[in-house]
Amino acid sequence: MSNLNDLFEKNKQWAKEIVDGDAKFFERLKEQQTPNYLWIGCSDSRVPPNTILALPPGEIFVHRNIANLVVHSDLNCLSVMQYAVEVLKVEHIIVCGHYGCGGVKAALGSQNYGLIDNWLRHIKDVKRFNDKHLEGLEGEERVNRLCELNVIEQVKNVRDTTIVKDAKQQGATLSVHGLIYDLGTGHLKELDTNA
Ligand code: CO
């Protein structure tokens, strides 16, 4: 006996609504996916990419982790990127952070959270690289500025991968963007990642 009945009900209702609007939707999608975007975002439940972009299944390839990090040696993230770029041939890689990110907040503090502290070390590194941009900022402003700086840093990491470098060298149409999402308004904005 499942205790996920609410979820199954919602799923059945959702699939029915889609088929009611487009009878062949799932049949078509079953054959292949042709997403044009790779989304690298935070695991935060309030930032679900398809929902905030109003995109149906099939439109966006997704990798999420705490604080939307692209770590040079993270085989999980790198494998997603390689597949997206080399097989799916996405034309846009989007790194999307969000203001008020819990991972970023935690990295600014000194509390011990156990295993995850090892992951948060990467954000502490971003803070160290960018200390001068955080000078004089306190509280929420400091957290939110580091959220932006973290996105900019992760965009650099994406651009520095062999995956993106090789694709560019081979003439692929591929651009990397840094976005930030405002939990309080639901709006996205693009950050300047070329500075
Ligand atoms: Co977050």
Side-chain angles (χ1 to χ4, degrees):
M1 184 66 185
S2 168
N3 55 8
L4 299 177
N5 289 341
D6 286 357
L7 297 187
F8 288 118
E9 271 311 310
K10 280 184 185 295
N11 167 251
K12 217 186 291 175
Q13 183 60 31
W14 169 79
K16 183 181 176 303
E17 278 167 20
I18 296 217
V19 171
D20 286 349
D22 177 356
K24 301 256 186 214
F25 179 83
F26 290 111
E27 241 173 87
R28 272 198 323 273
L29 208 56
K30 193 177 130 186
E31 297 308 317
Q32 62 169 337
Q33 59 168 339
T34 52
N36 199 21
Y37 309 95
L38 165 61
W39 173 278
I40 300 173
C42 184
S43 298
D44 193 303
S45 64
R46 297 165 295 179
V47 197
N50 285 76
T51 309
I52 67 175
L53 297 170
L55 286 174
E59 299 292 320
I60 182 157
F61 203 64
V62 174
H63 177 78
R64 292 168 76 180
N65 60 40
I66 288 174
N68 41 270
L69 297 177
V70 178
V71 176
H72 313 305
S73 55
D74 178 2
L75 277 183
N76 183 353
C77 182
L78 294 174
S79 301
V80 170
M81 276 181 56
Q82 185 187 11
Y83 189 76
V85 171
E86 294 180 12
V87 180
L88 299 173
K89 304 204 181 300
V90 300
E91 293 186 333
H92 302 276
I93 300 178
I94 294 166
V95 176
C96 184
H98 65 99
Y99 292 126
C101 182
V104 172
K105 258 187 228 171
L108 277 171
S110 53
Q111 205 181 320
N112 183 347
Y113 296 96
L115 175 87
I116 195 177
D117 289 343
N118 298 287
W119 184 251
L120 299 178
R121 288 286 320 171
H122 296 294
I123 312 172
K124 287 181 186 278
D125 288 343
V126 174
K127 177 184 166 291
R128 189 156 43 83
F129 302 153
N130 292 281
D131 260 341
K132 66 174 191 299
H133 299 297
L134 293 165
E135 258 171 41
L137 300 179
E138 297 293 337
E140 200 180 328
E141 216 184 341
R142 187 171 169 81
V143 171
N144 288 345
R145 184 67 185 129
L146 186 54
C147 290
E148 293 179 344
L149 293 166
N150 181 45
V151 169
I152 293 165
E153 201 66 37
Q154 304 316 317
V155 165
K156 274 188 206 142
N157 289 344
V158 171
R159 289 185 177 141
D160 281 346
T161 57
T162 53
I163 301 158
V164 169
K165 283 182 170 173
D166 290 351
K168 293 258 186 184
Q169 206 167 23
Q170 287 158 21
T173 307
L174 181 64
S175 41
V176 187
H177 313 264
L179 270 55
I180 193 130
Y181 177 76
D182 188 331
L183 294 172
T185 64
H187 290 158
L188 279 170
K189 75 172 181 203
E190 184 152 20
L191 297 171
D192 181 3
T193 56
N194 295 309

